Amino acid sequence: MDFLLAALLLGLVAYFLFRVLRGVWPARFRPLGMRQVPRRVTERCAVCKEALNPAEVAALRQGRRKCPEMARCPYQRSRWLN
């Protein structure tokens, strides 16, 4: 029984150390399977084809920014809804 408890504790310690070291290990030393997939942080307006980041999309929706195609832009807030 003592051997099972010691093996369980040793396994938990090894797993914890593995997870900690995997988190702080530099990305250049990671194998190919562990690389993080880059996310697309910009989206294109369907009307004016301008690349917008999430902050610009929020500004368009809140009326703090104007789109060149104001009437047709899907992100532009209508001034009549205000």
Side-chain angles (χ1 to χ4, degrees), residues 8 12-13 16-17 21 27 29 32-33 44 46-47 51 57 59 62 66 70 74 78-80:
L8 178 66
L12 286 174
V13 167
F16 175 74
L17 288 175
L21 290 175
F29 296 125
L32 289 176
R44 291 212 172 265
V47 177
V57 170
Q62 294 169 7
K66 303 253 187 277
M70 280 180 69
S78 172
R79 65 181 186 176
W80 304 109

Side-chain angles (χ1 to χ4, degrees), residues 28-48:
R28 65 176 178 232
F29 296 125
R30 289 186 185 164
L32 289 176
M34 294 177 65
R35 295 205 183 178
Q36 295 187 5
V37 178
R39 293 187 324 185
R40 186 173 168 206
V41 294
T42 59
E43 38 186 297
R44 291 212 172 265
C45 178
V47 177
C48 64

